[in-house]
Amino acid sequence: MPRIIFMNDRLVPEDQAKVSVFDHGLLYGDGVFEGLRSYSGKVFRLEAHIDRLYASARAICLEIPLAKEVVSKAVNDTLAANGLSDGYVRLVITRGAGSLGLDPNKTSHPQVIVIADTISLYPREFYEKGLRIVTASTQRTQSAALSPRIKSLNYLNNIMAKLEGLRAGCVEALMLNHKGEVAECTGDNVFVVRDGRLLTPPPDAGILEGITRNAVMELATAAGIDCREVTLVRHDLYTADECFLTGTAAEVIPVVDIDGRTIGSGMPGPVTRRLTDAFHELVRR
Ligand code: PMP
């Protein structure tokens, strides 16, 4: 069955969903995107994703030619058109077709693309036994160069780190900022548990402020678990009682080994399990 894609103003079969080879999204990675999940027919935190998309676009002076409500509706319509109630949505805005130079003023219309598909989760075993990750030598881009808070089409920084992870046999890799502080993983935010307290790097450590991250922080607070944004270094991860990652695709996933060092007991810990259950409960609601 061909998928149905939303392109700019209508739903079209995937073979008709095309962008120009002159699109600056392709030529320069000039654009922004979002990854969203739908559970039982409802998109999780749709408004937060739409707000982050428009903030990313604003930060690169890209004016999305549709109102937020129209883009939100396109997300729901695309899921429905593909008969997906539990699915993954990729929302992409490119700068549009232009000349071969960098100048974004010489592009025409930004392209608004919504793709819905089934979600391929990590194998169950990773959730039950925990992930092994390594620290990448590739530093997270400095905010002064390109803010990691912008979810841009330019993911090479993360891809370079992901390659390092994959070469070490790991599906995720930890990224440090230029000061050597823990930032995030290539596509997930990172948390540790120390003495019953939940700790995660602040936005200015050079992270994408994950929507799953924010949901987990709220769930922790509601469950009476003290949760703080603090600067973390690798020492804090190596000596933590528990560690886990959060992301739209991964949800909450335990980490039990970093750089060949066992974290805590070497098994997913009680706080991680509690927050995983709370997250599943939240998305079910
Ligand atoms: N950091 C990066 C670099 C990401 O690309 C993502 C999204 N995949 C995340 C963190 C997690 O964010 P969210 O919970 O909003 O998916």
Side-chain angles (χ1 to χ4, degrees), residues 141-199:
T141 316
Q142 286 192 49
S143 307
L146 175 65
S147 175
R149 296 175 76 173
I150 302 171
K151 200 163 169 62
S152 85
L153 292 183
N154 216 306
Y155 250 52
L156 272 177
N157 179 224
N158 311 58
I159 290 166
M160 296 299 273
K162 177 99 180 177
L163 282 170
E164 291 187 59
L166 291 172
R167 273 167 204 209
C170 300
V171 293
E172 255 299 11
L174 181 71
M175 300 186 77
L176 309 177
N177 65 21
H178 64 288
K179 291 188 266 186
E181 299 158 354
V182 171
E184 60 182 339
C185 284
T186 68
D188 297 298
N189 292 113
V190 59
F191 285 84
V192 294
V193 179
R194 188 169 66 207
D195 301 329
R197 196 174 268 164
L198 195 58
L199 309 171

Side-chain angles (χ1 to χ4, degrees), residues 33-35 49 52 140 151 155 158 184-189 208-213 246-249:
F33 77 103
E34 276 297 320
H49 281 283
R52 189 171 68 183
R140 193 73 177 96
K151 200 163 169 62
Y155 250 52
N158 311 58
E184 60 182 339
C185 284
T186 68
D188 297 298
N189 292 113
L208 180 77
E209 237 181 297
I211 285 159
T212 320
R213 167 189 184 270
T246 63
T248 293

Side-chain angles (χ1 to χ4, degrees), residues 195-251:
D195 301 329
R197 196 174 268 164
L198 195 58
L199 309 171
T200 195
D204 65 12
I207 63 165
L208 180 77
E209 237 181 297
I211 285 159
T212 320
R213 167 189 184 270
N214 292 350
V216 164
M217 289 172 75
E218 286 165 27
L219 289 170
T221 305
I225 301 165
D226 186 17
C227 179
R228 298 184 189 184
E229 291 180 320
V230 289
T231 299
L232 297 172
V233 292
R234 274 197 294 176
H235 176 85
D236 298 306
L237 270 55
Y238 292 158
T239 59
D241 300 322
E242 300 178 35
C243 176
F244 63 84
L245 311 181
T246 63
T248 293
E251 302 181 319

Side-chain angles (χ1 to χ4, degrees), residues 60-283:
I60 65 164
C61 301
L62 169 57
E63 197 175 330
I64 299 175
L66 301 174
K68 284 186 179 181
E69 302 72 50
V70 179
V71 177
S72 300
K73 185 173 179 299
V75 169
N76 285 316
D77 290 351
T78 310
L79 279 161
N82 289 281
L84 292 164
S85 58
D86 290 281
Y88 180 82
V89 176
R90 177 57 57 83
L91 184 44
V92 183
I93 318 286
T94 72
R95 184 75 72 176
S99 61
L100 287 176
L102 286 178
D103 189 350
N105 296 318
K106 293 190 178 138
T107 58
S108 54
H109 306 289
Q111 300 290 295
V112 180
I113 303 161
V114 186
I115 308 164
D117 208 344
T118 49
I119 174 94
S120 59
L121 288 171
Y122 286 138
R124 228 182 127 109
E125 193 193 337
F126 289 2
Y127 292 91
E128 284 162 5
K129 294 190 179 153
L131 279 186
R132 199 167 62 74
I133 63 171
V134 285
T135 307
S137 65
T138 306
Q139 284 175 4
R140 193 73 177 96
T141 316
Q142 286 192 49
S143 307
L146 175 65
S147 175
R149 296 175 76 173
I150 302 171
K151 200 163 169 62
S152 85
L153 292 183
N154 216 306
Y155 250 52
L156 272 177
N157 179 224
N158 311 58
I159 290 166
M160 296 299 273
K162 177 99 180 177
L163 282 170
E164 291 187 59
L166 291 172
R167 273 167 204 209
C170 300
V171 293
E172 255 299 11
L174 181 71
M175 300 186 77
L176 309 177
N177 65 21
H178 64 288
K179 291 188 266 186
E181 299 158 354
V182 171
E184 60 182 339
C185 284
T186 68
D188 297 298
N189 292 113
V190 59
F191 285 84
V192 294
V193 179
R194 188 169 66 207
D195 301 329
R197 196 174 268 164
L198 195 58
L199 309 171
T200 195
D204 65 12
I207 63 165
L208 180 77
E209 237 181 297
I211 285 159
T212 320
R213 167 189 184 270
N214 292 350
V216 164
M217 289 172 75
E218 286 165 27
L219 289 170
T221 305
I225 301 165
D226 186 17
C227 179
R228 298 184 189 184
E229 291 180 320
V230 289
T231 299
L232 297 172
V233 292
R234 274 197 294 176
H235 176 85
D236 298 306
L237 270 55
Y238 292 158
T239 59
D241 300 322
E242 300 178 35
C243 176
F244 63 84
L245 311 181
T246 63
T248 293
E251 302 181 319
V252 180
I253 189 159
V255 172
V256 294
D257 186 298
I258 306 177
D259 300 331
R261 293 153 185 263
T262 301
I263 307 305
S265 68
M267 284 301 287
V271 177
T272 305
R273 285 197 189 284
R274 212 169 139 199
L275 290 168
T276 303
D277 292 346
F279 185 77
H280 289 156
E281 171 75 17
L282 176 68
V283 299

